[in-house]
Amino acid sequence: MISFFFFFYFFIFLFFDLQVVNGIEIYSMKIDSKVTSRFAHNVITSRAVNRGNVPKEVFFDVELPKTAFITNFSMTIDGVTYPGTIKEKEVAKKQYEKAVSKGQTAGLVKASGRKTEKFTVSVNIAAASKVTFELTYEELLKRQFGKYEMFIKVKPKQLVKDFEIEVNIFEPQGITDLEAEGTFITNDLQNVIQKTFSDKKGHISFKPTLDQQRTCANCSQSLLDGDFIVKYDVKRTTPDNLQIVNGYFVHFFAPTNLPKLPKNVIFVIDISGSMAGREIVQTREALLKILDDIKEDDFFNFILFGSEVRTWRETLIKATPENLDEARKFVQGINTEGMTNLHGGIMRGIDMLNAAHEGNLVPKRSASIIIMLTDGQPNVGISNTEDIQAHVKKAIEGKYPLYNLGFGYGVDYSFLEKMALENKGLARRIYPDSDAALQLQGFYDEVSNPMLTDVELNYPENEISDLTRNSFKHFYDGSEIVVAGRFIDNNQNSLTVDVRGEGANDALSYTTKQDAEQTAKAFQEQEYIFGEYIERLWAYLTIEQLLEKRIAATGEEKENLTAEALDLSLKYKFVTPLTSMVVTKPEENDNQDGIADKPIEVDGDPHFIISVPQKDDAICFNINENPGAVLNLIKDPVTGITINGELIGDKIVNNDAKIQNTYFGKLGIANKHLDLKLTVTPEKITLQNGNEQTGFTWLDSVTLQQEGLTLIINRKKNLVLKMGSGASFVIVLHQVWKKHPLHQDFLGLYILESDKLSEQTHGLLGQFFHPIDFTILEIHPGSDPKKPDATMIVKNNELTVTRGWQKDYRTDPTHGLDVPCWFVHNNGAGLLDGVHTDYIVSSLF
Ligand SMILES: *[C@@H]1O[C@H](CO)[C@@H](O)[C@H](O)[C@H]1NC(C)=O
Ligand SMILES: *[C@@H]1O[C@H](CO)[C@@H](O)[C@H](O)[C@H]1NC(C)=O
Ligand SMILES: *[C@@H]1O[C@H](CO)[C@@H](O)[C@H](O)[C@H]1NC(C)=O
């Protein structure tokens, strides 16, 4: 038995800004985009090879525009393709859990609602093996400020031998003004963008060589990091363009050369205390810019609400140069006060606008809008949001659109969104960044040029079913109205539409007709129509509108809308907030005989290693505490992240040894801001997300991607946890031979990108994330002839340290690599802030 009395250690290692994916070469990345009549079909293909001699994790992560729906994803590993399938969210989750419990690799593709969407998947690839990821997504390009805009996020993170973006556009009306630019494009790269267009076809290609991708000559960093933006417009000889294909139609409506309508704008501005500081400064700045853009025919007024409601003038005022000057003075004097009487502010605005119309104070032919800006939640006057919604809806009666701008993250955005959608407007987030004033001004620009009110596009009721929205309160210059529908008779090949609207001088009213033959003729030079694009465009628009209606709906209506949107998402294979895509890769033969990677026993060295890059050296120390003790490893009050570890001992207590061997048997990672807790033991992994608890074992392969959280479990090896855009944590499972008389399985912890934690980070490990310096003097023989002693000067202390080694299991999980370090005795005394017992905490969380 004595032969088993080896020392055996876990260890902790820190390293700085290393990529987890070293050894993986992405040798090809192609983004292929085909746009037909504003409908974009994009395929991203990424090919990678594992250049190392051990299996490696390959990651594929991309950012997609928030308006896009993923429609397909597949992985091809060593020539075998694993396709994704679309499932209802709950079904997808169950299938996914089943797959992971059977030990298969499963990727979960999720849409995270209306925000920018991140898509990540990873797969374990054998040495010298190749993997191809292929992701497809579709979106309808919207026209704004006279341009259709498509952006492609570019971030390969390494130099890619074969990198290419290719965009092909086909617009039956003819293309004008095709532009392509990149936020990362340097003068040298400008010429690499190839752009041609003639009549209906446009082509863009961007194919930088390896050298052109470098941030500087001989640098290995890629300068491809940012947005690649394509913009264009189409020729318009008539306001209408109708296309009819295979029983579906789409109608694009964008009249030009109409006189602008005068507008009546009420600005309802939150001046409650929480707006103090940068927000009110940015609001003033934005309002001053907006005042510069208001036209003389326009009427306007400001309503401010804190605890009280104040108005600049008693009624709407014409934007004469004198009034604008007065308004500027008023805006400059806006200051914060009190609480948030949102109800009082908005109701005053609506009443004022109603009175202006009733009293004929504003022109009969004019467009009225209300723009409300708030950063908080109603808490004075009527503060029940459902009551406010009801009052506002009743007062506006559909007469003008309400636009709600939610400043920062303290707003009840869903309330603002519901209220805006109920009143023919929309809600927008204003992000509390340095460009907030520009965001506000940008929103105003979108709605500052109304050309028509009460637009209705009417199609013969007995011919069309499943029509998307066809009435619009306002039409703004530079935008476009899109309506799609399905013919009741699949063979019908012509359509008449009746167009109505109210313009500046008179009513707009005409009828126009189109037949399928004309569409076919317009498309005849087009070789690459992707199948049934008008039908997909119709489905896309219908789902988008159902999801939008669902926001303000309740009860049975909401259930019906959900069912309808889900049905279409499944039928047309769109990943929407109601569906997920599941990819399952069957795992090759499962080598399950009870022994797993038996690590070589290590001779007596430390538990903790602190790498000191600027010295190209490391410091190490032990904490000798009894099994059961819980140590605080990391505590960051700013990101809210805490990591604690509980010690376990050997299976049998060795009564002869002065010091018991201990390892980490349980790790707890908590993020208090995200209300997340992850508990890891050598047996199981438990994720507690608010009240929701999910359990995994180390036999699972998991890629879990949720808002603010990525959890990857690499079966029987390690898990990677990333929270927000912050640091990542890797927990390594060390399995010993199951029948080992003494040792048991334990865990190791690595921290990646520790610079993403705040400067206030502390804890047994956290304190070493700040730069640390030391000096070594008087190296001399110690008690062990192979391990010299020395004097270390660190933190103004003079310590006796011993040269030792520690295993780094990052590159070789079985045997580890020997890493030399200076060992600090006595539980790190003199190196640690305080004493080691300061870091003992009462429980894991
Ligand atoms: C999804 O992509 C795979 C791989 O390219 C392809 O075989 C499959 O047909 C695609 N599925 C759909 C529905 O387009
Ligand atoms: C790049 O590397 C080559 C070969 O090592 C060297 O000759 C050249 O001077 C380097 N160029 C720059 C700009 O450092
Ligand atoms: C919901 O759908 C059912 C079944 O189609 C229908 O009978 C019911 O009237 C719908 N309810 C609402 C509120 O739309």
Side-chain angles (χ1 to χ4, degrees), residues 733-744:
L733 174 67
H734 291 278
Q735 287 186 311
V736 298
W737 178 36
K738 283 265 178 296
K739 296 186 183 128
H740 196 290
L742 211 52
H743 306 320
Q744 45 181 337

Side-chain angles (χ1 to χ4, degrees), residues 68-70 89 109-113 117-118 575-580:
F69 291 145
I70 292 172
K89 248 205 185 129
V109 181
K110 275 191 177 182
S112 58
E117 193 171 85
K118 248 193 165 169
V575 178
T576 65
L578 304 172
T579 51
S580 295

Side-chain angles (χ1 to χ4, degrees), residues 71-74 76 81 83-84 134 136 573:
T71 60
N72 199 0
F73 175 71
S74 68
T76 303
T81 298
E134 191 186 282
T136 309
K573 304 196 187 322

Side-chain angles (χ1 to χ4, degrees), residues 583-608:
V583 186
T584 311
K585 173 187 171 281
E587 200 69 31
E588 46 294 318
N589 65 338
D590 200 1
N591 192 7
Q592 267 260 36
D593 60 359
I595 7 170
D597 324 331
K598 179 167 159 293
I600 304 263
E601 277 80 321
V602 185
D603 82 334
D605 258 349
H607 297 76
F608 294 86

Side-chain angles (χ1 to χ4, degrees), residues 681-700:
T681 72
E683 289 77 43
K684 61 179 192 209
I685 298 145
T686 311
L687 178 68
Q688 174 113 19
N689 198 342
N691 294 325
E692 202 178 301
Q693 187 166 310
T694 318
F696 304 98
T697 77
W698 282 103
L699 293 178
D700 297 336

Side-chain angles (χ1 to χ4, degrees), residues 554-561 564:
T554 53
E556 194 184 45
E557 192 195 357
K558 185 167 189 154
E559 282 169 28
N560 285 4
L561 290 166
E564 247 182 283

